[in-house]
């Protein structure tokens, strides 16, 4: 299934220019609508496509990237200092590196460079277990495309060739045309393994969307790993996923959807087609 492409983690989680998290939301969302029909279940899977379309990166202007790369292209332990530099037009960027070299804090103070504007903080932490934590603290980024606000935390780790990304917090985007794409993740965890022997993904946690394409609260639970088929079909070989009360059981080339009192088995390619048809816009 194309919406479970294993590269989504790497593709979505880029840093500037290139879990037990502090942004954890309070409580459990109350506006979760339990799916009662197969048709609703098909449409709900578009939430994963919407997630992949959200840009989790911040991209300063090329001139400010030169400033940032002076720091990020070096080892942390060679940057035991605080330094503030002026942005191209107005404002500044302060980089503060801890004495042990494992924490680096970027403070953007109304940094204006051409059409690019950034205000807020981003912290990058390298833990003793080699995991990386990124924290966007009330960071606002504006360019010709629109505005993005991030109060968001990510933690990335790898063990036994399994990559884990844990996410909590809010990302709100407004395009130049005024279109809004707001997302809130709570205890949202994606695990992937991609080797020559096996390729799979698990998705768990809560995703809330408010956008033109997708609106609602979506609770994911992976019952059995979603294993990519080795026949280059783009299908899932096996796996079981629950989403808002519906169950999706993958058995290449088919998928069985159970929702309420309904159950239907179809080709996975047919499900892709129905998802596209049920979406209110192209994601």
């Amino acid at each position: 299934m194309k919406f479970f492409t294993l590269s989504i983690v790497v593709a979505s989680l880029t840093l500037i220019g290139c879990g037990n998290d502090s942004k954890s939301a309070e409580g459990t969302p109350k506006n979760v609508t339990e799916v009662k029909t197969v048709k609703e279940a098909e449409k709900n899977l578009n939430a994963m496509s919407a997630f992949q379309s959200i840009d989790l990166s911040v991209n300063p202007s090329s001139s400010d990237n030169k400033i940032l790369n002076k720091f990020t292209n070096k080892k942390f332990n060679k940057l035991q200092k605080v330094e503030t530099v002026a942005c191209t037009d107005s404002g500044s960027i302060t980089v503060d590196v801890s004495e042990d070299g494992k924490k680096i804090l970027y403070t953007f103070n109304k940094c204006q460079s051409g059409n690019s504007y950034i205000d807020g903080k981003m912290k990058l932490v390298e833990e003793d277990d080699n995991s990386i934590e990124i924290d966007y603290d009330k960071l606002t980024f504006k360019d010709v495309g629109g505005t993005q606000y991030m109060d968001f935390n990510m933690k990335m780790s790898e063990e036994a060739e399994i990559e884990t990304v844990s996410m909590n917090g809010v990302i709100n985007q407004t395009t130049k045309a005024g279109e809004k794409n707001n997302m809130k993740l709570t205890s949202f965890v994606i695990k992937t393994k991609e080797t020559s022997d096996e390729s799979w993904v698990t998705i768990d946690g809560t995703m809330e969307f408010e956008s033109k394409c997708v609106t609602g609260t979506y609770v994911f639970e992976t019952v059995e790993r979603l294993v990519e088929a080795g026949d280059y079909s783009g299908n899932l070989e096996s796996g079981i996923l629950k989403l808002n009360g519906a169950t999706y059981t993958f058995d290449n080339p088919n998928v069985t959807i159970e929702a309420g009192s309904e159950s239907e088995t179809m080709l996975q390619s047919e499900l892709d087609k129905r998802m596209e048809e049920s979406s209110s816009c192209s994601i």
Side-chain angles (χ1 to χ4, degrees), residues 28-34 206-209 215-218 244:
T28 301
K30 298 180 180 179
N31 56 333
V32 179
T33 302
E34 186 170 334
T206 301
M207 176 192 305
E208 297 175 66
F209 264 105
T215 296
T217 300
Y218 305 89
N244 288 18

Side-chain angles (χ1 to χ4, degrees), residues 34-268:
E34 186 170 334
V35 174
K36 299 293 186 182
T37 68
V38 168
K39 186 174 182 179
E40 290 174 346
E42 294 166 358
K43 185 176 181 178
N44 268 10
L45 283 177
N46 281 315
M48 201 62 213
S49 299
F51 169 73
Q52 294 178 61
S53 72
I54 295 291
D55 186 4
L56 302 184
S57 63
V58 174
N59 298 294
S61 67
S62 58
S63 58
D64 289 336
N65 263 330
K66 293 178 181 178
I67 296 171
L68 293 173
N69 287 339
K70 181 173 75 171
F71 303 104
T72 56
N73 288 342
K74 298 179 181 180
K75 295 290 186 181
F76 284 176
N77 57 17
K78 296 183 183 295
L79 295 169
Q80 298 175 9
K81 59 182 179 180
V82 179
E83 186 169 345
T84 299
V85 292
C87 298
T88 305
D89 296 323
S90 62
S92 63
I93 303 172
T94 298
V95 181
D96 184 350
V97 182
S98 64
E99 291 186 2
D100 63 4
K102 291 184 176 293
K103 298 178 183 179
I104 186 166
L105 175 65
Y106 300 90
T107 301
F108 300 90
N109 181 24
K110 300 178 180 179
C111 176
Q112 183 79 48
S113 295
N115 293 318
S116 173
Y117 172 90
I118 308 179
D119 188 61
K121 298 179 180 181
M122 191 197 86
K123 182 169 64 175
L124 180 64
V125 180
E126 181 182 5
E127 304 288 359
D128 292 336
D129 60 1
N130 292 323
S131 64
I132 298 293
E133 184 172 355
I134 309 166
D135 191 80
Y136 296 100
D137 185 3
K138 298 177 177 62
L139 189 143
T140 298
F141 172 63
K142 301 178 183 179
D143 64 6
V144 292
T147 301
Q148 178 162 298
Y149 171 82
M150 304 176 75
D151 198 25
F152 189 77
N153 180 284
M154 293 186 290
K155 186 171 183 179
M156 297 174 284
S157 62
E158 182 177 353
E159 184 176 357
E161 298 182 305
I162 299 173
E163 297 182 7
T164 301
V165 181
S166 303
M167 293 168 277
N168 282 281
V170 173
I171 298 177
N172 294 336
Q173 298 177 337
T174 304
T175 67
K176 185 179 180 180
E179 184 176 306
K180 295 185 181 296
N181 294 290
N182 298 334
M183 178 180 72
K184 179 180 179 181
L185 299 178
T186 304
S187 301
F188 198 76
V189 180
I190 298 177
K191 294 185 178 182
T192 62
K193 185 173 184 179
E194 191 163 10
T195 67
S196 58
D197 298 323
E198 57 181 321
S199 186
W200 55 261
V201 62
T202 65
I203 305 166
D204 296 277
T206 301
M207 176 192 305
E208 297 175 66
F209 264 105
E210 181 185 359
S211 70
K212 177 182 177 181
C213 299
V214 176
T215 296
T217 300
Y218 305 89
V219 179
F220 290 80
E221 179 189 353
T222 301
V223 180
E224 293 183 7
R225 293 171 176 172
L226 305 171
V227 180
E228 187 175 26
D231 57 7
Y232 304 103
S233 63
N235 289 337
L236 292 175
E237 185 64 35
S238 62
I240 301 175
L241 177 73
K242 289 187 175 182
L243 174 57
N244 288 18
T247 300
Y248 310 78
T249 301
F250 298 92
D251 184 12
N252 189 26
N254 299 318
V255 56
T256 299
I257 302 177
E258 298 173 88
S261 60
E262 296 185 2
S263 178
E264 183 177 350
T265 298
M266 68 192 77
L267 291 173
Q268 293 182 37

